[in-house]
Amino acid sequence: MKKLASVTILLLGIMLIAITAEFPRWGDPQSPASTYLSPHFIEKTIEETSVPNIVTAVLGDYRGYDTMFETTVVFCAGAACFFILGAFRREDDDQIRYFRHKDTGVVLKVKPNGTRPNSRSDFERIDPTWTPYDFIVSRVASLMIPFIQLFGLYVVAHGHHSPGGGFQGGVILAAGFLLLALSHNLRTLSARVSNKTLGLMSASGVLIYAGWGALALLFGGNFLDYSVLGVLLGLDPIAARSMGILIVEIGVALTVMSTMVIIYNNVASVGAYDEGL
Amino acid sequence: MMEFLETVLTAKYNYWIYIILMMIGIWAMIAKVNLIKKIIGMNIFQTAIILFYVSIGAKKGGTIPILEHAPGHGHDYIMDADKYINPLPHVLMLTAIVVSVATLGVALALALKVYREHQTLDEDEILSHLSE
């Protein structure tokens, strides 16, 4: 099997390398890919959308359908992880549970159906395999997370003038959440952002994108034609396109951020939502 | 010899690198028996495709596709299509990167499920379990 695979791959590789003789030179400005649509995008983007970052303009406006379904694919991936790893398991009450006092480190062992500490008290729920947090790692992570989140918001909002946009900003925002989960544990993250909230945010991102496109239909334009929404925003049609791109980028960022965290939560804890890694 | 270097090697070597990467990825997907190694192979394959697309958009002497303000004027922009690299492959690959992360997540979830069911990630052992 291995030999057959190697021979096939080798032959395929040689054939593909042979066919590169027909390819344009690397970096040729006259190559077919750069002569048909791309000059239109480069020359007309400012006139038509007033967005200097051509990638953002193409992503949010010219290829809006593509990006909308791409966002849906990301949402579906999050939902698939949620369903594959068995999320509807309810924790039984006939289990021994452990609670740790945050300040002194005293651990309570609560028997099945015993009285548990109030969730607002100084006790936190831990697993039997709990290990203490590293002081330096958890403090440095706590200090860094607000700045990571702020940078993520900047990348989303500034995608029109610099490299950035919904996908990149969403991933940076998710990185902040994952840093919290890795430096503390998954329960710490779930106490701040519950899995239900994440699911709702993931779905509402797609809703914002598709809803904003559908709103254009009500104002007499085509689906995802933001220019007609200038009436709603009090802007001229060109500026309305730029603003419409920002709004759909926010939807993309919401979906990407929450889906990345959902995938991590499910894969790291194998669907159990306990302490995770 | 020099002619070969100029017309073939320097002009096309980037495509060769992507093809080699792609073959490594597809070989891992076919020949490796461990499911996690197959997933890593899939990721190498996706990376090769992403690099290939990005290199299609490259132009010699071109800058990133973010328009520059002309010096001294507020809203005049320099419009010369040859000065900016092709934005379209960048848009396509921007979404492809996120989708590759999403497929990685689903693949890992499936691998976890398989491991929980069969207590192994080895393809041959799983097949023998299934045929029992």
mmCIF file of all heavy atoms in Angstrom, chain A residues 6 9 16 20-21 23-27 33 38 46 52 54 63 70 77 81 84 167-168 260 267 270, chain B residues 6 11-16 23 26-27 56 60 65 67 86 94-95 98-99 101-102 105 112-113 116:
data_model
loop_
_atom_site.group_PDB
_atom_site.id
_atom_site.type_symbol
_atom_site.label_atom_id
_atom_site.label_comp_id
_atom_site.label_asym_id
_atom_site.label_seq_id
_atom_site.Cartn_x
_atom_site.Cartn_y
_atom_site.Cartn_z
ATOM 1 N N SER A 6 3.489 5.709 -2.805
ATOM 2 C CA SER A 6 4.677 6.495 -3.116
ATOM 3 C C SER A 6 4.863 6.638 -4.621
ATOM 4 O O SER A 6 5.161 7.727 -5.121
ATOM 5 C CB SER A 6 5.913 5.829 -2.502
ATOM 6 O OG SER A 6 5.694 5.559 -1.156
ATOM 7 N N ILE A 9 2.212 8.988 -6.085
ATOM 8 C CA ILE A 9 2.474 10.380 -5.727
ATOM 9 C C ILE A 9 3.656 10.910 -6.519
ATOM 10 O O ILE A 9 3.637 12.041 -7.008
ATOM 11 C CB ILE A 9 2.744 10.492 -4.205
ATOM 12 C CG1 ILE A 9 1.559 10.008 -3.398
ATOM 13 C CG2 ILE A 9 3.106 11.905 -3.825
ATOM 14 C CD1 ILE A 9 0.309 10.742 -3.602
ATOM 15 N N LEU A 16 2.853 17.093 -12.562
ATOM 16 C CA LEU A 16 2.488 18.473 -12.205
ATOM 17 C C LEU A 16 3.670 19.416 -12.431
ATOM 18 O O LEU A 16 3.494 20.543 -12.912
ATOM 19 C CB LEU A 16 2.033 18.529 -10.749
ATOM 20 C CG LEU A 16 0.631 18.001 -10.478
ATOM 21 C CD1 LEU A 16 0.351 17.965 -8.996
ATOM 22 C CD2 LEU A 16 -0.417 18.853 -11.161
ATOM 23 N N THR A 20 4.134 22.804 -15.168
ATOM 24 C CA THR A 20 4.429 24.196 -14.803
ATOM 25 C C THR A 20 5.156 24.928 -15.926
ATOM 26 O O THR A 20 5.274 26.149 -15.886
ATOM 27 C CB THR A 20 5.294 24.281 -13.532
ATOM 28 O OG1 THR A 20 6.463 23.503 -13.718
ATOM 29 C CG2 THR A 20 4.549 23.836 -12.310
ATOM 30 N N ALA A 21 5.681 24.184 -16.927
ATOM 31 C CA ALA A 21 6.306 24.851 -18.073
ATOM 32 C C ALA A 21 5.318 25.778 -18.773
ATOM 33 O O ALA A 21 5.711 26.783 -19.369
ATOM 34 C CB ALA A 21 6.833 23.801 -19.045
ATOM 35 N N PHE A 23 2.993 27.480 -17.213
ATOM 36 C CA PHE A 23 2.534 28.524 -16.300
ATOM 37 C C PHE A 23 3.214 29.847 -16.605
ATOM 38 O O PHE A 23 4.317 29.878 -17.155
ATOM 39 C CB PHE A 23 2.867 28.122 -14.849
ATOM 40 C CG PHE A 23 1.902 27.141 -14.241
ATOM 41 C CD1 PHE A 23 1.150 26.309 -15.031
ATOM 42 C CD2 PHE A 23 1.748 27.062 -12.876
ATOM 43 C CE1 PHE A 23 0.276 25.400 -14.477
ATOM 44 C CE2 PHE A 23 0.871 26.156 -12.305
ATOM 45 C CZ PHE A 23 0.135 25.320 -13.110
ATOM 46 N N PRO A 24 2.578 30.969 -16.264
ATOM 47 C CA PRO A 24 3.257 32.256 -16.418
ATOM 48 C C PRO A 24 4.428 32.360 -15.451
ATOM 49 O O PRO A 24 4.471 31.679 -14.436
ATOM 50 C CB PRO A 24 2.168 33.272 -16.072
ATOM 51 C CG PRO A 24 1.191 32.537 -15.252
ATOM 52 C CD PRO A 24 1.213 31.134 -15.749
ATOM 53 N N ARG A 25 5.389 33.231 -15.794
ATOM 54 C CA ARG A 25 6.530 33.451 -14.887
ATOM 55 C C ARG A 25 6.025 33.956 -13.549
ATOM 56 O O ARG A 25 5.008 34.651 -13.477
ATOM 57 C CB ARG A 25 7.468 34.504 -15.475
ATOM 58 C CG ARG A 25 8.288 34.054 -16.628
ATOM 59 C CD ARG A 25 9.162 35.206 -17.098
ATOM 60 N NE ARG A 25 10.173 35.544 -16.089
ATOM 61 C CZ ARG A 25 11.398 35.022 -16.086
ATOM 62 N NH1 ARG A 25 11.742 34.160 -17.006
ATOM 63 N NH2 ARG A 25 12.262 35.376 -15.155
ATOM 64 N N TRP A 26 6.766 33.655 -12.509
ATOM 65 C CA TRP A 26 6.387 34.121 -11.172
ATOM 66 C C TRP A 26 6.535 35.638 -11.109
ATOM 67 O O TRP A 26 7.591 36.177 -11.410
ATOM 68 C CB TRP A 26 7.284 33.456 -10.124
ATOM 69 C CG TRP A 26 6.856 33.737 -8.723
ATOM 70 C CD1 TRP A 26 5.649 34.159 -8.306
ATOM 71 C CD2 TRP A 26 7.646 33.621 -7.552
ATOM 72 N NE1 TRP A 26 5.622 34.300 -6.956
ATOM 73 C CE2 TRP A 26 6.839 33.970 -6.454
ATOM 74 C CE3 TRP A 26 8.971 33.232 -7.311
ATOM 75 C CZ2 TRP A 26 7.317 33.960 -5.150
ATOM 76 C CZ3 TRP A 26 9.424 33.222 -6.015
ATOM 77 C CH2 TRP A 26 8.604 33.587 -4.935
ATOM 78 N N GLY A 27 5.464 36.333 -10.755
ATOM 79 C CA GLY A 27 5.518 37.777 -10.619
ATOM 80 C C GLY A 27 5.337 38.520 -11.928
ATOM 81 O O GLY A 27 5.652 39.698 -12.006
ATOM 82 N N ALA A 33 -4.151 35.739 -14.717
ATOM 83 C CA ALA A 33 -4.916 36.007 -13.500
ATOM 84 C C ALA A 33 -4.961 37.495 -13.189
ATOM 85 O O ALA A 33 -5.904 37.968 -12.551
ATOM 86 C CB ALA A 33 -4.301 35.246 -12.332
ATOM 87 N N SER A 38 -8.799 41.781 -12.093
ATOM 88 C CA SER A 38 -8.098 42.518 -11.046
ATOM 89 C C SER A 38 -7.853 43.988 -11.380
ATOM 90 O O SER A 38 -7.973 44.829 -10.485
ATOM 91 C CB SER A 38 -6.832 41.776 -10.668
ATOM 92 O OG SER A 38 -5.698 42.384 -11.168
ATOM 93 N N ILE A 46 -12.106 52.596 -5.291
ATOM 94 C CA ILE A 46 -12.309 53.846 -4.580
ATOM 95 C C ILE A 46 -13.552 54.569 -5.090
ATOM 96 O O ILE A 46 -14.380 55.050 -4.319
ATOM 97 C CB ILE A 46 -11.051 54.720 -4.730
ATOM 98 C CG1 ILE A 46 -10.037 54.317 -3.675
ATOM 99 C CG2 ILE A 46 -11.360 56.190 -4.598
ATOM 100 C CD1 ILE A 46 -10.441 54.657 -2.272
ATOM 101 N N PRO A 52 -10.158 52.058 0.750
ATOM 102 C CA PRO A 52 -8.808 51.939 0.167
ATOM 103 C C PRO A 52 -8.264 50.513 0.172
ATOM 104 O O PRO A 52 -7.473 50.162 -0.695
ATOM 105 C CB PRO A 52 -7.939 52.815 1.076
ATOM 106 C CG PRO A 52 -8.864 53.555 1.955
ATOM 107 C CD PRO A 52 -10.158 52.839 1.993
ATOM 108 N N ILE A 54 -8.391 47.140 -0.961
ATOM 109 C CA ILE A 54 -9.154 46.479 -2.022
ATOM 110 C C ILE A 54 -9.630 45.103 -1.557
ATOM 111 O O ILE A 54 -10.721 44.662 -1.906
ATOM 112 C CB ILE A 54 -8.289 46.341 -3.293
ATOM 113 C CG1 ILE A 54 -7.708 47.700 -3.677
ATOM 114 C CG2 ILE A 54 -9.109 45.815 -4.443
ATOM 115 C CD1 ILE A 54 -6.648 47.603 -4.727
ATOM 116 N N ARG A 63 -17.678 40.353 -3.708
ATOM 117 C CA ARG A 63 -17.899 38.920 -3.521
ATOM 118 C C ARG A 63 -18.668 38.686 -2.232
ATOM 119 O O ARG A 63 -18.347 37.788 -1.455
ATOM 120 C CB ARG A 63 -16.571 38.167 -3.503
ATOM 121 C CG ARG A 63 -15.865 38.163 -4.842
ATOM 122 C CD ARG A 63 -14.602 37.348 -4.763
ATOM 123 N NE ARG A 63 -14.893 35.960 -4.522
ATOM 124 C CZ ARG A 63 -15.133 35.075 -5.490
ATOM 125 N NH1 ARG A 63 -15.115 35.436 -6.738
ATOM 126 N NH2 ARG A 63 -15.382 33.832 -5.190
ATOM 127 N N GLU A 70 -19.296 31.612 3.253
ATOM 128 C CA GLU A 70 -18.097 31.211 3.980
ATOM 129 C C GLU A 70 -18.341 31.326 5.484
ATOM 130 O O GLU A 70 -17.964 30.450 6.259
ATOM 131 C CB GLU A 70 -16.943 32.146 3.572
ATOM 132 C CG GLU A 70 -15.606 31.483 3.499
ATOM 133 C CD GLU A 70 -15.448 30.700 2.224
ATOM 134 O OE1 GLU A 70 -15.593 31.288 1.129
ATOM 135 O OE2 GLU A 70 -15.194 29.504 2.332
ATOM 136 N N ALA A 77 -19.422 24.489 10.944
ATOM 137 C CA ALA A 77 -18.335 23.704 11.540
ATOM 138 C C ALA A 77 -18.463 23.716 13.058
ATOM 139 O O ALA A 77 -18.298 22.679 13.714
ATOM 140 C CB ALA A 77 -16.980 24.261 11.114
ATOM 141 N N CYS A 81 -19.087 20.361 15.394
ATOM 142 C CA CYS A 81 -18.280 19.957 16.557
ATOM 143 C C CYS A 81 -19.176 19.744 17.766
ATOM 144 O O CYS A 81 -19.022 18.788 18.516
ATOM 145 C CB CYS A 81 -17.259 21.037 16.886
ATOM 146 S SG CYS A 81 -15.758 20.850 15.992
ATOM 147 N N ILE A 84 -21.235 16.457 17.143
ATOM 148 C CA ILE A 84 -20.464 15.209 17.064
ATOM 149 C C ILE A 84 -20.055 14.756 18.455
ATOM 150 O O ILE A 84 -20.136 13.586 18.786
ATOM 151 C CB ILE A 84 -19.216 15.415 16.173
ATOM 152 C CG1 ILE A 84 -19.601 15.513 14.706
ATOM 153 C CG2 ILE A 84 -18.247 14.240 16.343
ATOM 154 C CD1 ILE A 84 -18.480 15.997 13.828
ATOM 155 N N PHE A 167 -12.575 38.340 9.543
ATOM 156 C CA PHE A 167 -11.977 37.026 9.799
ATOM 157 C C PHE A 167 -10.763 37.147 10.720
ATOM 158 O O PHE A 167 -10.656 36.438 11.717
ATOM 159 C CB PHE A 167 -11.567 36.370 8.479
ATOM 160 C CG PHE A 167 -12.731 35.863 7.679
ATOM 161 C CD1 PHE A 167 -13.201 36.560 6.590
ATOM 162 C CD2 PHE A 167 -13.361 34.682 8.024
ATOM 163 C CE1 PHE A 167 -14.275 36.100 5.862
ATOM 164 C CE2 PHE A 167 -14.433 34.215 7.302
ATOM 165 C CZ PHE A 167 -14.896 34.922 6.219
ATOM 166 N N GLN A 168 -9.860 38.071 10.385
ATOM 167 C CA GLN A 168 -8.632 38.187 11.177
ATOM 168 C C GLN A 168 -8.949 38.689 12.583
ATOM 169 O O GLN A 168 -8.451 38.149 13.579
ATOM 170 C CB GLN A 168 -7.668 39.171 10.499
ATOM 171 C CG GLN A 168 -7.247 38.768 9.121
ATOM 172 C CD GLN A 168 -8.138 39.372 8.055
ATOM 173 O OE1 GLN A 168 -9.346 39.433 8.209
ATOM 174 N NE2 GLN A 168 -7.543 39.824 6.977
ATOM 175 N N MET A 260 -14.608 29.669 16.847
ATOM 176 C CA MET A 260 -13.292 29.174 17.263
ATOM 177 C C MET A 260 -13.332 28.730 18.716
ATOM 178 O O MET A 260 -12.765 27.698 19.080
ATOM 179 C CB MET A 260 -12.229 30.275 17.111
ATOM 180 C CG MET A 260 -11.933 30.676 15.707
ATOM 181 S SD MET A 260 -11.279 29.329 14.745
ATOM 182 C CE MET A 260 -12.179 29.531 13.245
ATOM 183 N N VAL A 267 -13.450 20.310 21.586
ATOM 184 C CA VAL A 267 -12.355 19.380 21.317
ATOM 185 C C VAL A 267 -11.484 19.215 22.558
ATOM 186 O O VAL A 267 -11.057 18.109 22.886
ATOM 187 C CB VAL A 267 -11.535 19.870 20.103
ATOM 188 C CG1 VAL A 267 -10.283 19.055 19.934
ATOM 189 C CG2 VAL A 267 -12.374 19.792 18.848
ATOM 190 N N VAL A 270 -13.510 17.113 25.138
ATOM 191 C CA VAL A 270 -14.237 15.998 24.524
ATOM 192 C C VAL A 270 -15.734 16.096 24.833
ATOM 193 O O VAL A 270 -16.392 15.128 25.188
ATOM 194 C CB VAL A 270 -13.674 14.627 24.972
ATOM 195 C CG1 VAL A 270 -14.013 13.560 23.942
ATOM 196 C CG2 VAL A 270 -12.184 14.672 25.126
ATOM 197 N N GLU B 6 17.609 30.886 -15.928
ATOM 198 C CA GLU B 6 16.774 32.086 -15.986
ATOM 199 C C GLU B 6 15.349 31.795 -16.409
ATOM 200 O O GLU B 6 14.407 32.315 -15.820
ATOM 201 C CB GLU B 6 17.407 33.099 -16.945
ATOM 202 C CG GLU B 6 18.324 34.062 -16.216
ATOM 203 C CD GLU B 6 18.991 35.011 -17.167
ATOM 204 O OE1 GLU B 6 18.413 35.276 -18.240
ATOM 205 O OE2 GLU B 6 20.098 35.472 -16.829
ATOM 206 N N ALA B 11 12.049 31.285 -12.761
ATOM 207 C CA ALA B 11 10.687 31.681 -13.101
ATOM 208 C C ALA B 11 9.646 30.745 -12.516
ATOM 209 O O ALA B 11 8.511 31.138 -12.297
ATOM 210 C CB ALA B 11 10.530 31.747 -14.615
ATOM 211 N N LYS B 12 10.031 29.501 -12.269
ATOM 212 C CA LYS B 12 9.012 28.513 -11.908
ATOM 213 C C LYS B 12 9.267 27.803 -10.590
ATOM 214 O O LYS B 12 8.480 26.959 -10.195
ATOM 215 C CB LYS B 12 8.909 27.435 -13.015
ATOM 216 C CG LYS B 12 8.719 27.967 -14.408
ATOM 217 C CD LYS B 12 7.283 28.345 -14.659
ATOM 218 C CE LYS B 12 7.137 29.235 -15.859
ATOM 219 N NZ LYS B 12 7.479 28.581 -17.105
ATOM 220 N N TYR B 13 10.394 28.116 -9.887
ATOM 221 C CA TYR B 13 10.735 27.254 -8.748
ATOM 222 C C TYR B 13 9.690 27.333 -7.644
ATOM 223 O O TYR B 13 9.514 26.391 -6.886
ATOM 224 C CB TYR B 13 12.131 27.579 -8.210
ATOM 225 C CG TYR B 13 12.234 28.824 -7.379
ATOM 226 C CD1 TYR B 13 12.138 28.753 -5.993
ATOM 227 C CD2 TYR B 13 12.427 30.067 -7.960
ATOM 228 C CE1 TYR B 13 12.234 29.898 -5.218
ATOM 229 C CE2 TYR B 13 12.513 31.201 -7.201
ATOM 230 C CZ TYR B 13 12.419 31.117 -5.837
ATOM 231 O OH TYR B 13 12.497 32.243 -5.085
ATOM 232 N N ASN B 14 8.958 28.457 -7.551
ATOM 233 C CA ASN B 14 7.925 28.560 -6.512
ATOM 234 C C ASN B 14 6.854 27.492 -6.695
ATOM 235 O O ASN B 14 6.447 26.835 -5.744
ATOM 236 C CB ASN B 14 7.321 29.955 -6.510
ATOM 237 C CG ASN B 14 6.652 30.293 -7.816
ATOM 238 O OD1 ASN B 14 7.158 29.958 -8.876
ATOM 239 N ND2 ASN B 14 5.505 30.916 -7.742
ATOM 240 N N TYR B 15 6.435 27.271 -7.981
ATOM 241 C CA TYR B 15 5.411 26.245 -8.230
ATOM 242 C C TYR B 15 5.922 24.868 -7.830
ATOM 243 O O TYR B 15 5.164 24.047 -7.322
ATOM 244 C CB TYR B 15 5.024 26.224 -9.703
ATOM 245 C CG TYR B 15 4.469 27.522 -10.218
ATOM 246 C CD1 TYR B 15 5.057 28.160 -11.287
ATOM 247 C CD2 TYR B 15 3.352 28.103 -9.632
ATOM 248 C CE1 TYR B 15 4.557 29.350 -11.771
ATOM 249 C CE2 TYR B 15 2.853 29.290 -10.109
ATOM 250 C CZ TYR B 15 3.453 29.921 -11.181
ATOM 251 O OH TYR B 15 2.963 31.085 -11.656
ATOM 252 N N TRP B 16 7.224 24.641 -8.059
ATOM 253 C CA TRP B 16 7.773 23.322 -7.718
ATOM 254 C C TRP B 16 7.682 23.098 -6.213
ATOM 255 O O TRP B 16 7.356 21.988 -5.768
ATOM 256 C CB TRP B 16 9.241 23.214 -8.170
ATOM 257 C CG TRP B 16 9.419 23.317 -9.654
ATOM 258 C CD1 TRP B 16 8.431 23.532 -10.561
ATOM 259 C CD2 TRP B 16 10.632 23.208 -10.366
ATOM 260 N NE1 TRP B 16 8.973 23.580 -11.823
ATOM 261 C CE2 TRP B 16 10.328 23.385 -11.736
ATOM 262 C CE3 TRP B 16 11.950 22.989 -10.001
ATOM 263 C CZ2 TRP B 16 11.286 23.346 -12.709
ATOM 264 C CZ3 TRP B 16 12.912 22.948 -10.993
ATOM 265 C CH2 TRP B 16 12.577 23.122 -12.336
ATOM 266 N N MET B 23 2.421 17.196 -2.569
ATOM 267 C CA MET B 23 2.615 15.748 -2.660
ATOM 268 C C MET B 23 2.903 15.162 -1.285
ATOM 269 O O MET B 23 2.440 14.057 -0.969
ATOM 270 C CB MET B 23 3.770 15.443 -3.627
ATOM 271 C CG MET B 23 3.446 15.722 -5.073
ATOM 272 S SD MET B 23 1.971 14.881 -5.602
ATOM 273 C CE MET B 23 0.943 16.225 -6.087
ATOM 274 N N ILE B 26 -0.522 14.907 0.358
ATOM 275 C CA ILE B 26 -1.409 13.858 -0.175
ATOM 276 C C ILE B 26 -0.830 12.477 0.143
ATOM 277 O O ILE B 26 -1.571 11.530 0.426
ATOM 278 C CB ILE B 26 -1.652 14.085 -1.693
ATOM 279 C CG1 ILE B 26 -2.955 13.425 -2.118
ATOM 280 C CG2 ILE B 26 -0.537 13.599 -2.534
ATOM 281 C CD1 ILE B 26 -3.395 13.853 -3.491
ATOM 282 N N TRP B 27 0.523 12.359 0.205
ATOM 283 C CA TRP B 27 1.145 11.090 0.572
ATOM 284 C C TRP B 27 0.785 10.740 2.012
ATOM 285 O O TRP B 27 0.450 9.591 2.318
ATOM 286 C CB TRP B 27 2.661 11.184 0.404
ATOM 287 C CG TRP B 27 3.343 9.893 0.669
ATOM 288 C CD1 TRP B 27 3.456 8.838 -0.186
ATOM 289 C CD2 TRP B 27 3.977 9.494 1.881
ATOM 290 N NE1 TRP B 27 4.122 7.808 0.421
ATOM 291 C CE2 TRP B 27 4.466 8.183 1.691
ATOM 292 C CE3 TRP B 27 4.195 10.112 3.113
ATOM 293 C CZ2 TRP B 27 5.138 7.494 2.674
ATOM 294 C CZ3 TRP B 27 4.868 9.425 4.097
ATOM 295 C CH2 TRP B 27 5.340 8.118 3.875
ATOM 296 N N ILE B 56 0.135 33.234 -7.288
ATOM 297 C CA ILE B 56 -0.490 33.625 -8.563
ATOM 298 C C ILE B 56 -0.742 35.125 -8.575
ATOM 299 O O ILE B 56 -0.602 35.795 -9.590
ATOM 300 C CB ILE B 56 -1.814 32.845 -8.762
ATOM 301 C CG1 ILE B 56 -1.530 31.425 -9.202
ATOM 302 C CG2 ILE B 56 -2.690 33.526 -9.787
ATOM 303 C CD1 ILE B 56 -2.774 30.630 -9.416
ATOM 304 N N LYS B 60 5.789 41.446 -9.946
ATOM 305 C CA LYS B 60 7.142 41.939 -9.644
ATOM 306 C C LYS B 60 7.079 43.449 -9.455
ATOM 307 O O LYS B 60 6.565 44.167 -10.310
ATOM 308 C CB LYS B 60 8.102 41.593 -10.785
ATOM 309 C CG LYS B 60 9.525 41.483 -10.319
ATOM 310 C CD LYS B 60 10.362 40.674 -11.299
ATOM 311 C CE LYS B 60 11.457 39.953 -10.550
ATOM 312 N NZ LYS B 60 12.117 38.953 -11.351
ATOM 313 N N PRO B 65 -2.285 45.270 -1.855
ATOM 314 C CA PRO B 65 -3.449 45.902 -2.493
ATOM 315 C C PRO B 65 -4.217 46.839 -1.570
ATOM 316 O O PRO B 65 -5.413 46.697 -1.375
ATOM 317 C CB PRO B 65 -4.290 44.710 -2.942
ATOM 318 C CG PRO B 65 -3.924 43.615 -2.039
ATOM 319 C CD PRO B 65 -2.511 43.838 -1.621
ATOM 320 N N LEU B 67 -4.733 50.926 -1.351
ATOM 321 C CA LEU B 67 -4.377 52.087 -2.177
ATOM 322 C C LEU B 67 -3.708 53.166 -1.342
ATOM 323 O O LEU B 67 -4.095 53.428 -0.207
ATOM 324 C CB LEU B 67 -5.641 52.645 -2.836
ATOM 325 C CG LEU B 67 -6.320 51.667 -3.779
ATOM 326 C CD1 LEU B 67 -7.724 52.119 -4.097
ATOM 327 C CD2 LEU B 67 -5.515 51.527 -5.049
ATOM 328 N N ASN B 86 -2.475 41.474 -7.302
ATOM 329 C CA ASN B 86 -3.844 41.066 -7.581
ATOM 330 C C ASN B 86 -4.581 40.777 -6.258
ATOM 331 O O ASN B 86 -4.179 39.895 -5.514
ATOM 332 C CB ASN B 86 -3.769 39.807 -8.449
ATOM 333 C CG ASN B 86 -5.102 39.392 -8.984
ATOM 334 O OD1 ASN B 86 -6.124 39.930 -8.586
ATOM 335 N ND2 ASN B 86 -5.091 38.437 -9.892
ATOM 336 N N LEU B 94 -8.011 34.246 2.102
ATOM 337 C CA LEU B 94 -8.419 34.734 3.425
ATOM 338 C C LEU B 94 -9.532 33.855 3.988
ATOM 339 O O LEU B 94 -9.479 33.407 5.134
ATOM 340 C CB LEU B 94 -8.917 36.172 3.263
ATOM 341 C CG LEU B 94 -9.352 36.924 4.490
ATOM 342 C CD1 LEU B 94 -8.145 37.162 5.342
ATOM 343 C CD2 LEU B 94 -9.961 38.230 4.084
ATOM 344 N N THR B 95 -10.521 33.584 3.147
ATOM 345 C CA THR B 95 -11.616 32.740 3.618
ATOM 346 C C THR B 95 -11.170 31.286 3.694
ATOM 347 O O THR B 95 -11.593 30.562 4.582
ATOM 348 C CB THR B 95 -12.834 32.882 2.699
ATOM 349 O OG1 THR B 95 -12.405 32.700 1.361
ATOM 350 C CG2 THR B 95 -13.467 34.228 2.842
ATOM 351 N N VAL B 98 -9.614 30.402 7.080
ATOM 352 C CA VAL B 98 -10.583 30.198 8.161
ATOM 353 C C VAL B 98 -11.316 28.876 7.968
ATOM 354 O O VAL B 98 -11.557 28.135 8.926
ATOM 355 C CB VAL B 98 -11.557 31.387 8.225
ATOM 356 C CG1 VAL B 98 -12.574 31.167 9.308
ATOM 357 C CG2 VAL B 98 -10.801 32.655 8.493
ATOM 358 N N VAL B 99 -11.638 28.559 6.712
ATOM 359 C CA VAL B 99 -12.331 27.296 6.462
ATOM 360 C C VAL B 99 -11.418 26.122 6.780
ATOM 361 O O VAL B 99 -11.873 25.091 7.289
ATOM 362 C CB VAL B 99 -12.849 27.254 5.012
ATOM 363 C CG1 VAL B 99 -13.337 25.869 4.658
ATOM 364 C CG2 VAL B 99 -13.973 28.245 4.840
ATOM 365 N N VAL B 101 -9.227 26.045 9.161
ATOM 366 C CA VAL B 101 -9.297 25.877 10.613
ATOM 367 C C VAL B 101 -10.591 25.162 10.993
ATOM 368 O O VAL B 101 -10.607 24.269 11.844
ATOM 369 C CB VAL B 101 -9.199 27.241 11.320
ATOM 370 C CG1 VAL B 101 -9.443 27.094 12.808
ATOM 371 C CG2 VAL B 101 -7.853 27.856 11.083
ATOM 372 N N ALA B 102 -11.700 25.530 10.332
ATOM 373 C CA ALA B 102 -12.991 24.908 10.639
ATOM 374 C C ALA B 102 -12.966 23.422 10.305
ATOM 375 O O ALA B 102 -13.416 22.590 11.112
ATOM 376 C CB ALA B 102 -14.098 25.612 9.863
ATOM 377 N N GLY B 105 -11.043 21.590 12.893
ATOM 378 C CA GLY B 105 -11.818 21.377 14.114
ATOM 379 C C GLY B 105 -12.761 20.198 13.986
ATOM 380 O O GLY B 105 -12.817 19.337 14.868
ATOM 381 N N LEU B 112 -11.641 12.299 17.719
ATOM 382 C CA LEU B 112 -11.904 12.047 19.141
ATOM 383 C C LEU B 112 -13.023 11.031 19.310
ATOM 384 O O LEU B 112 -12.952 10.126 20.143
ATOM 385 C CB LEU B 112 -12.306 13.344 19.833
ATOM 386 C CG LEU B 112 -11.192 14.263 20.293
ATOM 387 C CD1 LEU B 112 -11.766 15.600 20.710
ATOM 388 C CD2 LEU B 112 -10.471 13.644 21.461
ATOM 389 N N LYS B 113 -14.068 11.203 18.495
ATOM 390 C CA LYS B 113 -15.213 10.293 18.572
ATOM 391 C C LYS B 113 -14.780 8.874 18.208
ATOM 392 O O LYS B 113 -15.172 7.907 18.877
ATOM 393 C CB LYS B 113 -16.291 10.800 17.611
ATOM 394 C CG LYS B 113 -17.644 10.201 17.822
ATOM 395 C CD LYS B 113 -18.359 10.849 18.966
ATOM 396 C CE LYS B 113 -19.729 10.218 19.150
ATOM 397 N NZ LYS B 113 -20.296 10.587 20.451
ATOM 398 N N ARG B 116 -12.804 7.379 21.031
ATOM 399 C CA ARG B 116 -13.653 6.973 22.154
ATOM 400 C C ARG B 116 -14.358 5.652 21.857
ATOM 401 O O ARG B 116 -14.568 4.835 22.730
ATOM 402 C CB ARG B 116 -14.696 8.070 22.400
ATOM 403 C CG ARG B 116 -15.024 8.257 23.861
ATOM 404 C CD ARG B 116 -16.330 8.970 23.984
ATOM 405 N NE ARG B 116 -16.165 10.380 24.247
ATOM 406 C CZ ARG B 116 -17.163 11.245 24.080
ATOM 407 N NH1 ARG B 116 -18.320 10.847 23.616
ATOM 408 N NH2 ARG B 116 -16.983 12.505 24.364
#
